Amino acid sequence: EAQVTQNPRYLITVTGKKLTVTCSQNMNHEYMSWYRQDPGLGLRQIYYSMNVEVTDKGDVPEGYKVSRKEKRNFPLILESPSPNQTSLYFCASSQPTTISLNEQFFGPGTRLTVL
Amino acid sequence: RKEVEQDPGPFNVPEGATVAFNCTYSNSASQSFFWYRQDCRKEPKLLMSVYSSGNEDGRFTAQLNRASQYISLLIRDSKLSDSATYLCVVNVLNRDDKIIFGKGTRLHILP
């Protein structure tokens, strides 16, 4: 089954404790992206990757890191989480065409609470 | 002007009615357009791509107006299961191939 998986689905942590949210897709998509969703603010892009070893900042990259060592995986790293990073996080993947991106497939989401 | 704007709603609509949403975008370089559906606390899922000629899928019709820079979604004979948030998504063709999500329009179908 074609899918995007994220782990963990729920996480409660404390300020400053490094954490990683994993994202994996089995559709051989070149494009992967991380979003956070907050009430009243909608989905905001954190980082994206057009291909292996290529990552770029989205609209809200501060406080986050990513890596793309393999095509299927795109982990999101919070080196020193803070309470303002409490949010619902989605990973997504897509296969670009020559002129644009196609449908994005989203993971089920990770609900993060930073105390 | 915001890059992608939607009326947040909520739209409270009786079952069986027809409802329409619009979404405006500001960047004329916008290349591709989509409507996604998101149920509460779930991931967004593609509802429809929006083509220049307009497209229809069952009770759903999507249209693009490039001159006025908006896309629309029409839902006919609405069902209780149509209750969700509808996200407008615009892909801007440039060096970074930017994807922009609207904040969504909430729809409640009333029995």
Side-chain angles (χ1 to χ4, degrees):
Chain A
E1 180 189 357
Q3 60 182 353
V4 179
T5 57
Q6 293 179 229
N7 281 292
R9 293 290 312 282
Y10 303 90
L11 179 60
I12 300 174
T13 189
V14 296
T15 298
K17 186 176 181 181
K18 181 180 178 180
L19 67 92
T20 298
V21 184
T22 63
C23 173
S24 184
Q25 51 96 1
N26 63 2
M27 295 169 279
N28 203 36
H29 286 167
E30 292 178 1
Y31 181 96
M32 296 186 75
S33 181
W34 275 103
Y35 299 89
R36 61 177 289 174
Q37 188 171 36
D38 303 288
L41 298 177
L43 275 161
R44 293 179 292 168
Q45 192 174 47
I46 302 170
Y47 269 94
Y48 65 97
S49 168
M50 297 296 289
N51 214 325
V52 175
E53 301 293 358
V54 179
T55 62
D56 283 290
K57 295 178 180 179
D59 297 316
V60 288
E62 295 78 19
Y64 304 95
K65 287 173 58 177
V66 292
S67 69
R68 188 89 183 275
K69 294 186 173 63
E70 309 162 279
K71 200 172 194 179
R72 62 182 293 124
N73 296 324
F74 190 44
L76 179 70
I77 303 155
L78 285 71
E79 295 271 4
S80 182
S82 62
N84 65 11
Q85 292 178 298
T86 292
S87 187
L88 177 59
Y89 291 86
F90 289 105
C91 179
S93 73
S94 177
Q95 186 56 36
T97 66
T98 54
I99 59 170
S100 71
L101 290 171
N102 273 327
E103 171 187 2
Q104 287 195 80
F105 293 83
F106 285 82
T110 295
R111 187 164 291 279
L112 173 65
T113 301
V114 183
L115 302 175
Chain B
R1 183 180 177 184
K2 292 179 183 174
E3 289 184 288
V4 176
E5 284 197 83
Q6 297 182 249
D7 183 338
F11 284 49
N12 297 308
V13 174
E15 190 175 10
T18 295
V19 60
F21 316 131
N22 278 348
C23 165
T24 59
Y25 61 94
S26 60
N27 193 324
S28 59
S30 299
Q31 189 65 31
S32 52
F33 309 87
F34 307 90
W35 283 104
Y36 280 72
R37 172 196 168 124
Q38 186 176 25
D39 295 298
C40 188
R41 297 174 182 267
K42 296 289 186 75
E43 71 272 27
K45 292 183 179 178
L46 181 70
L47 177 67
M48 300 178 75
S49 301
V50 187
Y51 305 122
S52 297
S53 55
N55 48 308
E56 187 173 315
D57 183 4
R59 298 182 293 108
F60 299 84
T61 300
Q63 292 195 312
L64 167 64
N65 186 317
R66 284 194 183 272
S68 301
Q69 295 187 191
Y70 74 87
I71 65 172
S72 63
L73 177 68
L74 181 79
I75 306 174
R76 289 180 297 278
D77 188 24
S78 53
K79 311 290 184 191
L80 295 175
S81 57
D82 293 334
S83 297
T85 296
Y86 291 84
L87 305 174
C88 167
V89 181
V90 174
N91 178 201
V92 181
L93 178 65
N94 58 24
R95 181 180 62 85
D96 298 324
D97 216 3
K98 191 176 176 65
I99 299 171
I100 306 166
F101 281 78
K103 293 181 182 179
T105 297
R106 283 187 297 146
L107 174 64
H108 295 155
I109 304 300
L110 307 173

